[in-house]
Amino acid sequence: MFVSSWLVLLFPLLGFVGLSWYGNRISKSFVGLAGCGTIAASFFATLVTLSELLFLPAAERVGHVQTLYQWAAAGSFKLDLAILVDPLSVFMFMIVTGVGFVIHVYSVGYMRDDPEYSRFFAYLNLFIFAMLMLVAAADFFFLIVGWALVGLASYLLIGFWREKTSAVLAARKAFVMNVIGDVGMVIAALVIFETFGTLNFVDVFASAPDKFRPNDDAALLITLLLLVGAFAKSAQLPLHTWLPDAMEGPTPVSALIHAATMVTAGVYLVARCHVLYELAPYTMYFIAGVGIITAVFAGSMAMVQYDIKRVIAYSTMSQLGYMFLAMGIGVYSLGMFHLMTHAFFKALLFLAAGSVIHSLDGEQDLRKMGGLQKVMPLTHATFLIGALALAGFPLTSGYFSKEAIILSSYYAEMGNVFFWTVAVLTAGMTAFYIFRVYFFVFAGSPRSSSPHPHESPAIMVIPLLVLATLALLGGALGPWVESFLAPVFGNVADHPQDSALETIALVAGIGGIATAGVLYMVGESRLAFFKELLAPIYDVLFHKFYVDEIYDYLIVRPTKAIATFLEQKAERDGIDFAVDRVGMQVKAVSHGISLWQSGKVRAYALNMIVGVVTILLFVVFM
């Protein structure tokens, strides 16, 4: 049973290996077919696994560990190469392979002229495999392996254009920031093994309630260490600075990172380990607090940025904040539901933005766009649907998932008025900044220097239409998602009804859209006045609260100064000097000894006789 679950991982791995070895020897058409075909096959295997799971009674859908073979054993400890098949892992399989496949198809057209076409698809397949390994892992060891592979794949793809210094620096920044999270994960795994004697999810979660009382020191330590990894991977405060810079990679990479892989890993980790987090309520409050603060923090920066991809990147940080809020207040299924709808409309927004960038010959500055509504009708329509879904407009997928989280932030057992207030404020900001982008790009008069803006080819537009349909209608899957995930989380989230609070949240979103329309369509001439009036606040937001500068001043510069000092005093004046002195002494001794090497046989014979006589005298008289 569940043999197909291994095929979900196998197909992307085969695609990566095959394209890495033979990609340069085959045509671009075959590269695209192979790259997309492996993910399509993985998605089909996911559907087979899903059908097998659905045939089981709800109570029997959890805890199915599929072991391939024993990886290592030492005494009572054993480590199996195994995957965990349950509703949560299969749910993530569907998102990763489904949305990942659509992004792969889009990439065929977007990257067509790139000379490293085969390398790009090889890395994309590696990225999908790494994320699938992460969510399929049956223990913390292979979870960390997948975690690290996701970081490696993101490094390779963010820095894919190696000739761009900014891309290389962004890839390095992402890698370093995620390694910080990896360290937290490894230490957490060591503490878990010390506490439970195993790293297996099923065993750890089964024995945790007997091991810990609420808010035990060990429970708090484990959950906080795991949270370091989750916050780094999902770009939550204060480990968020890598995500906007990651936009230096190709647009399909941005879509894959933000929608189907990488940043969703942190939310998945908390959901997977919810048993541990429920034993650490303090940590859960901390998760919700960081999530909602990150949501408003990122949303405020998105309101003033001019790079179209960076605005959408900050939007991802903000929406992930909503997901962490849901995890922190214990409505896990709502958080996963928003993860799914977010994957639909965020992939759509990034790919539509890529279509615009493709049309404008690589231009990403909003101030150099405009008037594309008639030139790119399909891209315009799909971007509008994505924007409405992100803004939580009624009947779109984002409305159902985000509004449920906002209402739960007040009525859930761990909710409160602060969480709800900030969530509503963020909803208004979200609607404002995404429609600010919409009006900049598609309304008004053209401001681009591109001579011939045009609609993208069908290979890029069809994925937009698929994602637009999901972003528009995906909200209908909400009840199914909750019931499907109920065996994992143990219950179905309550759905409180409060017309007043729902109306306030809805007005906040529509108000954000209206404000963007008034400022950027009607009162555009007054923008300069408002910028000057709010100059101090505007500067802080535009410079991203100077977090990068603060990190540079407090961490990077002191680290470089210490490294320079150690290089000079420890390495050059210490180690190198000591090694050089040893070499000089050996050289001096060698020079003295070399005087004996005259090359004259008579001298060598005399030396031998003197040596023999000396030894004999020593033997006789001693």
Side-chain angles (χ1 to χ4, degrees):
M1 195 173 190
F2 298 120
V3 175
S4 58
S5 58
W6 285 105
L7 298 177
V8 177
L9 282 74
L10 181 62
F11 286 124
L13 179 61
L14 291 177
F16 165 66
V17 173
L19 290 174
S20 298
W21 288 354
Y22 303 108
N24 291 329
R25 308 177 193 177
I26 58 180
S27 67
K28 283 188 173 182
S29 298
F30 195 79
V31 167
L33 182 62
C36 297
T38 54
I39 308 304
S42 183
F43 179 65
F44 179 76
T46 297
L47 295 179
V48 174
T49 304
L50 173 64
S51 64
E52 291 178 331
L53 194 65
L54 290 176
F55 274 118
L56 296 175
E60 299 178 11
R61 293 177 185 172
V62 295
H64 293 277
V65 177
Q66 305 299 306
T67 302
L68 192 61
Y69 65 90
Q70 190 173 82
W71 182 274
S76 61
F77 172 74
K78 67 174 185 176
L79 186 63
D80 295 329
L81 181 59
I83 60 177
L84 177 61
V85 179
D86 69 351
L88 182 58
S89 60
V90 174
F91 178 78
M92 291 298 296
F93 282 174
M94 288 190 291
I95 295 174
V96 174
T97 58
V99 177
F101 171 69
V102 175
I103 294 172
H104 272 68
V105 174
Y106 177 93
S107 301
V108 171
Y110 191 87
M111 299 296 292
R112 170 62 65 180
D113 297 327
D114 196 284
E116 298 288 344
Y117 189 75
S118 61
R119 180 167 65 91
F120 179 78
F121 274 95
Y123 288 170
L124 279 189
N125 275 206
L126 174 63
F127 207 172
I128 295 291
F129 166 74
M131 188 64 188
L132 291 172
M133 183 176 184
L134 187 158
V135 301
D139 55 58
F140 285 97
F141 178 84
F142 284 106
L143 170 71
I144 293 172
V145 172
W147 202 268
L149 281 176
V150 166
L152 171 63
S154 66
Y155 169 79
L156 295 172
L157 284 167
I158 294 169
F160 177 77
W161 287 321
R162 295 172 292 190
E163 66 278 5
K164 288 178 59 179
T165 302
S166 58
V168 174
L169 294 177
R172 186 175 67 183
K173 186 176 184 179
F175 188 82
V176 170
M177 194 68 74
N178 277 275
V179 165
I180 296 173
D182 295 349
V183 172
M185 294 280 290
V186 170
I187 298 175
L190 293 175
V191 177
I192 289 170
F193 181 72
E194 176 69 21
T195 304
F196 296 95
T198 181
L199 294 175
N200 182 275
F201 286 153
V202 174
D203 296 337
V204 169
F205 298 152
S207 57
D210 297 327
K211 285 278 186 180
F212 300 136
R213 293 173 298 173
N215 291 320
D216 266 357
D217 291 343
L220 291 173
L221 178 62
I222 290 171
T223 53
L224 288 172
L225 286 170
L226 290 174
L227 210 56
V228 174
F231 282 171
K233 197 69 77 180
S234 294
Q236 298 294 285
L237 286 171
L239 304 175
H240 67 283
T241 57
W242 67 270
L243 190 58
D245 291 353
M247 299 304 98
E248 293 292 337
T251 300
V253 173
S254 303
L256 197 57
I257 288 175
H258 289 249
T261 61
M262 190 72 171
V263 296
T264 60
V267 179
Y268 164 79
L269 177 65
V270 177
R272 172 59 73 195
C273 300
H274 72 279
V275 174
L276 298 177
Y277 282 98
E278 287 172 353
L279 294 170
Y282 293 163
T283 304
M284 292 191 69
Y285 274 116
F286 180 67
I287 293 172
V290 171
I292 198 60
I293 292 172
T294 301
V296 70
F297 176 82
S300 65
M301 291 184 288
M303 294 169 65
V304 299
Q305 301 299 314
Y306 288 104
D307 186 309
I308 185 172
K309 288 173 64 177
R310 285 179 182 263
V311 174
I312 304 175
Y314 282 116
S315 167
T316 298
M317 288 174 52
S318 184
Q319 296 305 303
L320 286 165
Y322 274 114
M323 297 175 209
F324 277 106
L325 171 63
M327 296 296 157
I329 61 177
V331 287
Y332 308 108
S333 59
L334 294 183
M336 298 307 295
F337 177 39
H338 191 54
L339 185 150
M340 181 192 74
T341 61
H342 176 264
F344 298 155
F345 60 72
K346 188 52 58 69
L348 173 60
L349 287 171
F350 264 115
L351 298 187
S355 180
V356 171
I357 295 169
H358 180 269
S359 172
L360 300 181
D361 301 321
E363 184 59 66
Q364 295 183 200
D365 193 329
L366 293 172
R367 293 165 293 189
K368 298 179 181 179
M369 300 178 183
L372 295 178
Q373 178 177 352
K374 295 181 179 179
V375 178
M376 308 180 69
L378 292 177
T379 298
H380 162 257
T382 53
F383 188 95
L384 177 59
I385 291 172
L388 290 170
L390 174 59
F393 195 80
L395 303 183
T396 63
S397 61
Y399 168 78
F400 291 102
S401 59
K402 189 163 67 174
E403 291 300 315
I405 293 175
I406 293 175
L407 198 58
S408 295
S409 69
Y410 183 84
Y411 278 104
E413 182 179 351
M414 301 183 71
N416 54 59
V417 68
F418 171 75
F419 290 161
W420 176 82
T421 302
V422 179
V424 171
L425 174 62
T426 305
M429 295 166 60
T430 301
F432 172 82
Y433 66 66
I434 194 59
F435 273 88
R436 169 179 174 266
V437 172
Y438 171 78
F439 291 127
F440 255 124
V441 175
F442 295 103
S445 57
R447 295 181 294 270
S448 171
S449 59
S450 178
H452 302 293
H454 56 277
E455 184 60 274
S456 297
I459 193 67
M460 294 170 61
V461 171
I462 291 174
L464 296 181
L465 296 175
V466 172
L467 290 170
T469 302
L470 293 172
L472 197 59
L473 305 177
L477 296 174
W480 179 84
V481 170
E482 288 193 64
S483 62
F484 181 66
L485 295 177
V488 177
F489 299 130
N491 57 7
V492 176
D494 294 331
H495 292 279
Q497 300 294 324
D498 190 318
S499 300
L501 296 187
E502 291 175 358
T503 301
I504 292 172
L506 183 59
V507 168
I510 296 177
I513 297 174
T515 303
V518 169
L519 286 178
Y520 292 94
M521 293 296 293
V522 180
E524 189 173 358
S525 59
R526 299 183 182 180
L527 280 177
F529 168 75
F530 284 112
K531 288 181 182 179
E532 185 175 351
L533 181 65
L534 303 173
I537 298 175
Y538 182 88
D539 288 342
V540 170
L541 296 179
F542 185 78
H543 290 94
K544 300 164 287 187
F545 289 91
Y546 296 97
V547 174
D548 280 309
E549 289 78 3
I550 292 172
Y551 284 175
D552 182 67
Y553 185 79
L554 295 180
I555 300 175
V556 177
R557 292 186 184 184
T559 302
K560 286 184 176 180
I562 293 171
T564 301
F565 174 81
L566 291 176
E567 181 187 23
Q568 180 62 45
K569 299 301 182 181
E571 186 173 351
R572 295 182 181 177
D573 296 346
I575 298 173
D576 286 354
F577 177 77
V579 172
D580 290 344
R581 294 302 299 177
V582 170
M584 293 173 64
Q585 292 298 322
V586 171
K587 183 178 180 181
V589 172
S590 299
H591 178 71
I593 296 175
S594 68
L595 297 176
W596 295 83
Q597 306 300 316
S598 63
K600 296 180 180 179
V601 176
R602 292 179 180 180
Y604 294 161
L606 178 63
N607 291 338
M608 291 175 62
I609 293 172
V610 171
V612 170
V613 171
T614 302
I615 292 172
L616 290 174
L617 290 174
F618 180 82
V619 171
V620 172
F621 293 102
M622 295 299 293

